[in-house]
Amino acid sequence: MFNTTVVGNVVKKSGLRIVSTDRGDTPVIDIRVAARNGGKKVHFVKCVVWGNDAKAVDQYLEVGRTVAVEGLPKAQTWTDPQGNQQIRLGDAHVGRIGTVHPGHRDE
């Protein structure tokens, strides 16, 4: 298991929903973040945010805002037409999320 960090702009935000878990009803929201990997190629990462963070995202986070998201990507597997097992990283289940202010630098 490993965490990954994605920094990019929020391009889509779903509505807040409540899901039933073994811990009771939990708020959850999905966001899609567009991030560059140092080049011109843009990657779109679906991020799933849970609990109080989901409520804050729903209330305060706007599409277009730059965010830093840290989470555990979910692996997806399938078999291609040639019969080879394939794997790719899918949705990131967010552990931490925060906004990034333009021009901010760590000193």
Side-chain angles (χ1 to χ4, degrees):
M1 300 277 195
F2 66 93
N3 277 343
T4 188
T5 301
V6 175
V7 177
N9 293 334
V10 176
V11 294
K12 186 176 181 182
K13 182 172 89 168
S14 71
L16 185 72
R17 62 191 186 280
I18 304 297
V19 297
S20 294
T21 68
D22 56 351
R23 296 181 184 175
D25 291 343
T26 304
V28 64
I29 193 167
D30 300 330
I31 61 172
R32 189 166 303 273
V33 177
R36 295 188 187 276
N37 66 349
K40 292 186 178 186
K41 184 167 174 98
V42 176
H43 298 275
F44 295 92
V45 181
K46 180 180 174 190
C47 302
V48 183
V49 186
W50 296 83
N52 289 331
D53 287 340
K55 290 180 186 178
V57 164
D58 182 53
Q59 188 171 3
Y60 300 111
L61 189 64
E62 300 170 355
V63 170
R65 190 70 187 249
T66 303
V67 294
V69 177
E70 181 181 301
L72 179 66
K74 186 176 175 184
Q76 298 174 332
T77 60
W78 74 95
T79 303
D80 68 17
Q82 292 76 30
N84 300 313
Q85 190 72 16
Q86 301 291 325
I87 187 169
R88 82 170 185 88
L89 297 180
D91 305 351
H93 290 254
V94 175
R96 296 189 329 175
I97 184 169
T99 58
V100 177
H101 301 284
H104 175 76
R105 293 186 317 183
D106 290 331
E107 300 292 328

